[in-house]
Structure formats: C-alpha cells, structure tokens
Amino acid sequence: MGIFKPEIECASRNYLRALQSARLIKMVRNAYDHVPFYKRLLDEKGVSPEDIRSIDDITKLPFTVKQDLRDNYPFGLFAVEKDKLARIHASSGTTGKQTVVGYTQHDIDAWSDGAARALVAAGATKNDKVHVSYGYGLFTGGLGLHYGAEYMGATTIPVSSGNTKRQVQILQDFESDILCCTPSYAMFIGETIRDMGIDPKSLKLRAGIFGAEPWTDNMRKEIEKLLDIKAYDIYGLSEIAGPGVAYNCECQDGLHVCEDYFYPEVVDPDTLEVLPDGEFGELVFTCIGKEALPLIRYRTRDIASITHEKCACGRTTVRMSKPKGRSDDMLIIRGVNVFPSQVEHVLLELGLTANYLIIVDRKNNLDTMEVQVEMLPEMFSDTVKGLENTEKRIEGALQSTLNVHAKVRLLEPGSLARSEGKAKRVIDNRTEVTY
Ligand code: DLL
C-alpha cells in the first residue's frame, strides 16, 4: 500500500514536534493579531503570543467551543481579508445556528492533502476511479474527497448522494474502484445491490472510505461482506477541515491524524486536564496549519483516545481511536450513560442488521428505551413465539452490555428509513430532539 506523504507520515517524532512548534507559534500570532475574539481570550488568560515557544506551550492556551463560532456568526473568527477566502462551508447544525468555516487556497490544499493521504492509505492510486457519494454542497464530505482524489491524481466521479439505483449503475458501468460515502449509505448501497440481484464480486470496487458518523467494527465487517470490499474509516469535522483530519491505514488499527496540520489532544471533559495516551476523553484539535480559521484547542465533543505508538504500516503519526460517539449523543437513561454505538455493537454481534432506531421516552417520570431493529429475511417466517424469544434474547444481551433495560421490537425487513447521508439513530422524546 502506498504512502502519500512519507516525509510527514513517517517522519521522526522529533521532526514532527519541531514542525508543530514552528507552526503553533505562527498560528497563535496570526490568531492574536487578526481575530479580536482570540486577542481578548488570550489577554484575559494573561497569555501573550511570545509565551508560546514550542508545542509544549499549547496547554497555556484557552479552549474554543462551538458556541464561540455561533457567537461570532458568520465570519467573526476569520483571520484573513475576504479577498483571500477561497471557499466557505457550513455545518448543517441540527440545533442552533449553523457554524460557518472559511478556507484560503492554502487551507484547501492542506485539507486536500489530508484527504489524499486517506485515499492512498486505503490503496487508491492514480489509475483508480474514485466514486464520491458524500453529499456535495456546504457539507464538507463531497468536495473534501473530491479535491483529495484530484490532489493525488486519481479520476474523480462526483456522483453526490441519493438516487441509489443510479449509484449502482455507475458503479457497474464506470467501473468505480473506490467508494466514498457514509457507512450507513454504504450499507444501503450494498442492500440495493443485493436486492437488484447483482453479485458484488462482479463489480470492480475494491475499497470504501467511510466516515462522517460513528460506526462500529462490526458494521465494517457487515459492509465489507455486502460490498465485497475493504472498508476504511475517515474522520473529520467542518470546523477543523472536513474529511481527512484522520484516516485508517491498511492495519485498520486506529486513525492516523494529520498532526502537521491538526494538533490533537485528549482532555477530561469536566476538568479539561490533558489525558495520557490510551485514556478516553474529549478530542481537541488546534489548527496549526491553517490560515483562515485558526482555531485554538477546539473542543470537538467527540470521545476518543490517542496513541503515539508507531503503527505496523510504518507511519509514525499519532493515531486516534474510532470515536465512540459525541458527548452530546450520549444518552443518559435512568442515570446510565449509553452510546448508540454500544447498541449497534450488540445487535451486530448477535448477527442482526445495523438497521436500527433507538426511541427514548419518559413515562411516569421514568426513562424508557426502545430499540427497534429490522429482522433478517429468514426470521420473517418465524412463529410469533419464536420472534418473542428472539426479542427477549436481544434484550438480555443489551441489558448485560448497557446495564439498563431496553425493550426490543423486531420490525419487518426494509421498514426503517434508509439514510443517504448521516443516519438518524435516536429519537429522544424527552427533549424532542432528533439526531
Ligand atoms: O462529517 C466531515 C466528514 C465528511 C468526515 C466525510 C468524514 C467523511 P461535520 O458534518 O462537521 O463534518 O460532522 C463532524 O461527525 O465531530 C464526529 O462527531 C462525526 N464524525 C465524522 N467522522 C467520523 C468518523 C463531517 N469517522 C462530526 N467516526 C464529528 C465517527 C465521525 N464520527
């Protein structure tokens, strides 16, 4: 498997630290001089740009949160004149104002470099056709992978999401080699291929780059089976740089962070203390290689851990774990913390599908949780008693993993809505928030 930027991806830790130090010093100066919000924040903390002499000084700096972007909507945190901006993206934002992000040409190149590293790590070469089924538009998925594929010299097929049968036809007729979309959409495309009676082995497709939402290792195996490909994880968020902040290599053992652009830390979300390697906490990124939106210690709300151990692939860059989910996706059911990804893990472990929906409610002042999951086609002919027994078996498995009771309801195959982008896994009627 190739490595797109070996001089960075396989650099010595000393070299990386020196590069990070130089870039942090430059970016803090840029933020202080050009973003009034950061000047105020640093002044309040009594930190001046001169205090930042190496990457170790990063802990002296204040944190940035999503609300800061909202408070400065739309362009208040930009550090460059408008004529230097090459592009603007925004996050959809299910609650509150959307967050707006800007990029100079230099920033677009850095982002494309990250996405290109991800593609090459997944085995893409210049001879490949990269089929991009992430949505194009203000969402960073489509254009992020599109520019990444062009940057590393592959042929891009900008399909965007939706019209799934047409996606399949393009996969067949254009002989796409690499598929890029959300894991839930990859499942849907895989099911559609199966329902159309097409043998996935007849397609040229050999790898997929899936991200933008949490997905378990079990779901990866499911997708790999359905599409007969190898499935790679890609992580990113609009505020930092869309897809390509971190990515899987062929070892599929964590995601390599483009730490020359995005410096990662993991902190305890309550105390904000930096946590050692291996401990789970909130991921924080500092955009040390970006001009337009130089975010300092941005709290992502994603829960993950990092490790500096060298990977078997030869890369030396920090790896982050698969994000467990977002701290704000975490459900608190009768005082117990539950991540939707834990439910997914149990369901797939039992051989069920990843087509599920969690419905949370409050009845008589007590939280209730129902897990709806589609039955497998072969279960459809089961007796009512047989299905009840299956539901009980799933309830038992969920109880032992989650430590909280969830009622399970088996649904007919195909009855839950399929997603073409980020899947909706939870309806929380207590807050009337759907995400
Ligand atoms: O989802 C960027 C992206 C596009 C990443 C395509 C990968 C592929 P946002 O819409 O701003 O940006 O959402 C960012 O999505 O904070 C995570 O909570 C979640 N997320 C992104 N990638 C992963 C992943 C894009 N691989 C938010 N695993 C992030 C788990 C992910 N969660």
Side-chain angles (χ1 to χ4, degrees):
M1 227 47 110
I3 297 183
F4 185 64
K5 269 269 169 83
E7 65 276 26
I8 296 288
E9 293 175 90
C10 305
S12 72
R13 293 299 320 164
N14 280 346
Y15 176 80
L16 282 171
R17 290 191 72 73
L19 185 68
Q20 289 165 338
S21 295
R23 289 190 172 169
L24 179 71
I25 292 167
K26 195 168 157 200
M27 78 83 71
V28 172
R29 169 53 70 193
N30 180 33
Y32 188 85
D33 289 347
H34 298 109
V35 186
F37 165 81
Y38 276 129
K39 179 174 185 327
R40 202 180 59 243
L41 216 59
L42 264 71
D43 286 348
E44 274 168 17
K45 220 172 183 269
V47 184
S48 97
E50 288 81 49
D51 297 330
I52 307 303
R53 297 196 194 91
S54 89
I55 194 71
D56 295 329
D57 293 323
I58 199 161
T59 51
K60 295 180 181 162
L61 293 165
F63 290 93
T64 312
V65 294
K66 201 179 187 97
Q67 190 58 38
D68 297 326
L69 283 151
R70 293 198 172 124
D71 292 346
N72 291 281
Y73 176 87
F75 306 140
L77 295 187
F78 289 8
V80 295
E81 295 300 324
K82 298 218 170 55
D83 64 343
K84 292 267 176 353
L85 282 178
R87 204 190 299 156
I88 289 171
H89 278 278
S91 77
S92 51
T94 38
T95 51
K97 258 188 225 158
Q98 57 185 349
T99 44
V100 182
V101 293
Y103 305 82
T104 62
Q105 188 53 52
H106 164 274
D107 298 340
I108 298 274
D109 289 346
W111 175 17
S112 306
D113 181 7
R117 291 181 202 178
L119 281 153
V120 173
T125 70
K126 292 183 180 189
N127 295 322
D128 286 327
K129 294 188 217 80
V130 177
H131 180 123
V132 183
S133 305
Y134 286 110
Y136 279 64
L138 288 176
F139 173 57
T140 51
L143 284 167
L145 265 311
H146 181 111
Y147 272 66
E150 289 191 350
Y151 200 76
M152 48 78 53
T155 308
T156 313
I157 312 178
V159 197
S160 197
S161 60
N163 203 342
T164 309
K165 286 202 169 131
R166 183 163 156 266
Q167 301 271 356
V168 177
Q169 195 182 350
I170 292 172
L171 287 172
Q172 281 185 309
D173 297 350
F174 295 10
E175 301 189 320
S176 319
D177 299 284
I178 314 275
L179 172 66
C180 306
C181 60
T182 59
S184 49
Y185 197 37
M187 284 278 300
F188 186 19
I189 293 176
E191 288 175 339
T192 308
I193 288 173
R194 186 193 56 204
D195 296 347
M196 287 166 82
I198 298 166
D199 177 2
K201 287 196 170 30
S202 69
L203 299 177
K204 197 150 171 280
L205 204 62
R206 66 168 198 281
I209 302 186
F210 308 127
E213 61 184 1
W215 55 309
T216 55
D217 249 353
N218 281 337
M219 179 141 164
R220 178 167 62 75
K221 288 181 205 141
E222 198 67 17
I223 295 172
E224 289 186 333
K225 217 163 48 193
L226 259 179
L227 286 167
D228 191 39
I229 57 170
K230 196 158 171 184
Y232 295 84
D233 201 351
I234 184 166
Y235 169 86
L237 61 165
S238 338
E239 298 91 310
I240 304 303
V245 170
Y247 52 88
N248 265 163
C249 64
E250 72 264 24
C251 302
Q252 293 175 318
D253 184 15
L255 293 94
H256 289 277
V257 178
C258 293
E259 55 170 312
D260 49 327
Y261 296 129
F262 320 113
Y263 184 81
E265 297 170 277
V266 173
V267 303
D268 178 316
D270 297 322
T271 64
L272 298 181
E273 282 302 310
V274 177
L275 296 174
D277 273 19
E279 277 192 32
F280 276 83
E282 181 173 352
L283 256 182
V284 169
F285 285 103
T286 299
C287 300
I288 53 175
K290 267 172 66 187
E291 295 173 339
L293 190 58
L295 292 182
I296 296 175
R297 304 189 89 193
Y298 182 71
R299 293 182 57 182
T300 63
R301 300 195 240 186
D302 291 322
I303 305 297
S305 65
I306 56 175
T307 173
H308 286 78
E309 248 173 53
K310 189 173 169 182
C311 182
C313 72
R315 288 177 181 80
T316 48
T317 42
V318 172
R319 274 170 295 153
M320 59 179 262
S321 68
K322 217 176 203 340
K324 262 196 202 170
R326 298 172 60 82
S327 51
D328 39 7
D329 281 354
M330 190 181 75
L331 297 162
I332 303 181
I333 314 281
R334 275 174 258 148
V336 179
N337 300 346
V338 175
F339 280 103
S341 58
Q342 293 175 292
V343 173
E344 180 177 306
H345 176 80
V346 171
L347 295 177
L348 289 169
E349 210 48 20
L350 292 173
L352 289 143
T353 70
N355 294 314
Y356 68 94
L357 181 68
I358 301 169
I359 300 174
V360 184
D361 218 326
R362 179 164 290 143
K363 288 184 186 134
N364 304 326
N365 286 326
L366 211 62
D367 297 332
T368 61
M369 176 173 167
E370 176 174 290
V371 175
Q372 302 185 341
V373 57
E374 287 181 9
M375 41 186 140
L376 304 168
E378 59 268 28
M379 290 158 76
F380 202 42
S381 53
D382 247 3
T383 58
V384 172
K385 189 81 202 134
L387 290 177
E388 277 173 7
N389 286 341
T390 308
E391 285 173 345
K392 289 273 167 295
R393 195 162 53 86
I394 305 170
E395 284 173 9
L398 285 170
Q399 169 84 46
S400 68
T401 299
L402 309 176
N403 282 322
V404 68
H405 175 73
K407 166 143 190 50
V408 169
R409 198 142 74 83
L410 286 168
L411 305 180
E412 279 180 34
S415 49
L416 287 173
R418 296 297 190 262
S419 149
E420 294 171 352
K422 299 189 191 230
K424 279 190 177 38
R425 298 296 193 194
V426 179
I427 297 175
D428 192 340
N429 291 322
R430 297 172 304 180
T431 51
E432 289 170 26
V433 170
T434 306
Y435 48 82

